[in-house]
Amino acid sequence: MAARKKDEATVSMVDTFREFKDTKNIDRTTLVSVLEESFRNVLAKIYGSDENFDVIVNPDKGDFEIYRNRVVVADGEVEDENKEISLKDAQKIEPDYEVGEDVSERVDFAKFGRRAILTLRQTLASKILELEHDSLYNKYKDRVGQVVSCEVYQIWKREVLLVDDENNELILPKSEQIPSDQYHKGETVRAVILRVDNENNNPKIILSRTSPVFLERLLEAEVPEISDGLISIKKIARMPGERAKIAVESYDERIDPVGACVGVKGSRVHGIVRELCNENIDVINYTSNIKLFIQRALSPARVNNIEIDEEERKAAVYLQPEEVSLAIGRGGLNIKLASMLTEYTIDVFREVSENEADEDIYLDEFTDEIDQWVIDAIKSIGLDTAKAVLNAPREMLIEKADLEEETVDNVLRILKTEFER
């Protein structure tokens, strides 16, 4: 029975060593050091000290050797059994040993039993996990902003778990996914490294497909002039999966930055558009002239005049009535992106002729039919008269004035009825 337990302990010991010697992402020197330190920790617990032990780890062969070194003392004079051995016991090992000589005796670790082996496994597991965390953190800590290609491993409601080519885990949160993204286990996904968290030495690599940096890196990969430093991406504004505006500047007057980024017949942005789930990309020329920059940002609308409040970072933009809807865009998307790109709050106003103004009616005259708070909400977005409201896009009234669709439709009906009279 005792022999069988010893054999089982030996097998367990060999399996333990083999399990950890094949650990990935840890260099050989570090692994040998960790294995040796783990053995020494167990030896110190058993003998009280590991100072007089030699631990030899052979990761290539998958084995190890442990030797205990003791000094031969006269029989009956042993004070520390771990560091000293009696002459009688020493001569059982080699008959020619004498007092004062050093005895090096091989230790069979498996003889210490399952508890020692379990302690070793726990120590090794803890240290290997710590090293793996350090390795993962060191691999990615300086790569924030880079694009990586990873394989989808697991799909959850709030995030997608991906693995890189070394089987490291990376996280793509729901908030960093393009709304129309569809993921399937085993497929390859590209994303930018958004940040590397390392709370309690437990690194988490967070990826993003919605960050403007992701679009910037994709452009750098597609447009050689950007990677060569001839064209600079000054600003990016994105509504992920829907539309993006990019301001670029050329450092070589012979190069058209917009044309270079778009490519012949859009060849350079086609691949990016597909990668971003058909996100429309507008490229404009950057300028430090804020009026001109806002005008370009509101493209394709044609602007008549712009009034700037630099202190409040606000811009009042005046356009012909037929240009207002273009400036605002479907669902207010164009004006939102223009505001994000220029970092100015943009308010759009339609210009009317004197005759049109004479025939118009101020909203305050409709207080008997429209609640005052509704009138105030509409006036807060720069629309003071009935015709201004009727000529404004319905979506703008709903979104910018923050009104319910039913309320807006009721206002439009009342105003239309007035002019029909």
Side-chain angles (χ1 to χ4, degrees):
M1 181 65 72
R4 189 172 73 179
K5 286 185 177 179
K6 178 183 175 182
D7 291 342
E8 289 176 355
T10 303
V11 171
S12 179
M13 187 65 254
V14 172
D15 289 343
T16 296
F17 186 81
R18 286 177 178 169
E19 178 183 343
F20 291 102
K21 85 175 184 66
D22 294 329
T23 301
K24 297 179 181 178
N25 304 329
I26 299 175
D27 64 87
R28 184 180 183 280
T29 303
T30 303
L31 181 58
V32 168
S33 176
V34 168
L35 288 166
E36 181 180 334
E37 184 182 351
S38 299
F39 280 118
R40 287 189 175 279
N41 286 341
V42 178
L43 290 169
K45 288 182 180 179
I46 295 172
Y47 292 102
S49 172
D50 67 307
E51 294 177 5
N52 57 313
F53 285 86
D54 291 328
V55 180
I56 303 170
V57 177
N58 303 309
D60 296 332
K61 296 180 180 179
D63 63 12
F64 61 94
E65 297 175 8
I66 300 174
Y67 293 92
R68 180 163 61 157
N69 304 309
R70 291 184 288 179
V71 178
V72 180
V73 297
D75 295 336
E77 295 184 9
V78 175
E79 295 180 1
D80 185 345
E81 292 186 355
N82 183 39
K83 297 181 180 180
E84 297 174 338
I85 185 172
S86 68
L87 178 61
K88 179 182 176 181
D89 290 337
Q91 289 177 343
K92 289 178 181 178
I93 301 171
E94 290 289 344
D96 55 353
Y97 273 126
E98 295 180 3
V99 173
E101 290 187 327
D102 293 328
V103 175
S104 183
E105 181 184 10
R106 184 164 180 171
V107 176
D108 186 357
F109 196 89
K111 288 183 179 179
F112 298 138
R114 290 186 175 277
R115 180 170 294 182
I117 294 172
L118 181 60
T119 301
L120 177 66
R121 286 179 65 88
Q122 291 172 341
T123 305
L124 275 172
S126 176
K127 291 185 177 295
I128 293 295
L129 183 61
E130 184 179 335
L131 283 171
E132 286 179 338
H133 285 174
D134 289 343
S135 175
L136 178 60
Y137 178 70
N138 291 330
K139 177 179 178 180
Y140 283 102
K141 68 176 182 178
D142 297 324
R143 296 183 62 191
V144 172
Q146 293 183 15
V147 173
V148 292
S149 295
C150 301
E151 181 182 315
V152 175
Y153 182 74
Q154 191 72 46
I155 303 167
W156 294 308
K157 186 175 181 180
R158 294 185 178 180
E159 60 189 34
V160 174
L161 181 66
L162 304 105
V163 293
D164 62 13
D165 53 3
E166 294 180 348
N167 219 35
N168 294 311
E169 295 181 352
L170 302 93
I171 297 171
L172 180 61
K174 186 72 175 178
S175 59
E176 302 300 329
Q177 300 171 21
I178 296 173
S180 53
D181 274 341
Q182 296 289 330
Y183 300 102
H184 304 282
K185 188 171 182 178
E187 75 175 349
T188 300
V189 171
R190 283 204 293 175
V192 70
I193 301 172
L194 183 65
R195 68 179 188 272
V196 179
D197 298 335
N198 195 31
E199 188 176 347
N200 298 323
N201 195 34
N202 184 25
K204 289 186 178 180
I205 317 303
I206 309 299
L207 305 181
S208 174
R209 285 174 52 79
T210 61
S211 169
V213 178
F214 184 44
L215 175 52
E216 183 177 351
R217 294 295 174 265
L218 293 176
L219 272 168
E220 289 173 353
E222 290 291 334
V223 183
E225 290 87 347
I226 295 177
S227 55
D228 291 342
L230 299 174
I231 294 175
S232 172
I233 299 173
K234 303 297 287 186
K235 291 188 178 181
I236 294 179
R238 283 186 71 191
M239 297 294 286
E242 296 187 55
R243 192 171 177 182
K245 285 182 180 285
I246 305 165
V248 294
E249 184 178 36
S250 173
Y251 296 121
D252 187 332
E253 60 183 16
R254 296 169 298 177
I255 297 176
D256 170 22
V258 174
C261 291
V262 174
V264 179
K265 296 182 179 180
S267 58
R268 287 182 171 177
V269 296
H270 279 165
I272 299 174
V273 169
R274 286 194 298 272
E275 176 68 48
L276 301 180
C277 301
N278 294 320
E279 185 174 311
N280 290 321
I281 298 176
D282 299 335
V283 185
I284 66 170
N285 279 304
Y286 174 79
T287 174
S288 57
N289 182 327
I290 190 60
K291 284 189 176 182
L292 182 55
F293 191 35
I294 291 173
Q295 181 179 326
R296 290 173 178 174
L298 286 171
S299 176
R302 290 175 295 177
V303 176
N304 287 356
N305 187 34
I306 300 177
E307 293 178 0
I308 297 292
D309 183 340
E310 292 186 1
E311 186 174 338
E312 296 290 330
R313 295 191 73 80
K314 289 184 177 180
V317 178
Y318 297 89
L319 313 95
Q320 292 298 322
E322 64 273 14
E323 297 292 324
V324 172
S325 59
L326 286 175
I328 294 170
R330 182 171 56 85
L333 200 59
N334 197 56
I335 196 169
K336 277 183 187 176
L337 287 170
S339 294
M340 291 165 63
L341 193 71
T342 60
E343 298 179 357
Y344 267 72
T345 300
I346 301 174
D347 293 315
V348 173
F349 301 92
R350 59 183 289 275
E351 290 191 334
V352 296
S353 64
E354 290 185 7
N355 291 336
E356 287 180 310
D358 291 341
E359 296 172 2
D360 212 343
I361 305 171
Y362 285 104
L363 287 181
D364 290 328
E365 297 183 33
F366 290 90
T367 52
D368 56 336
E369 297 178 90
I370 304 173
D371 291 337
Q372 186 63 50
W373 68 270
V374 176
I375 292 175
D376 291 341
I378 296 173
K379 288 170 66 178
S380 70
I381 63 172
L383 304 177
D384 297 321
T385 67
K387 284 191 175 181
V389 175
L390 290 172
N391 287 321
R394 177 174 175 271
E395 293 78 10
M396 173 184 172
L397 296 171
I398 294 169
E399 192 156 333
K400 294 202 73 176
D402 196 22
L403 296 172
E404 298 288 340
E405 292 187 20
E406 185 178 344
T407 302
V408 170
D409 290 339
N410 185 50
V411 169
L412 294 175
R413 179 184 58 76
I414 292 170
L415 299 182
K416 284 179 182 177
T417 301
E418 177 62 31
F419 284 103
E420 286 173 358
R421 291 174 185 169

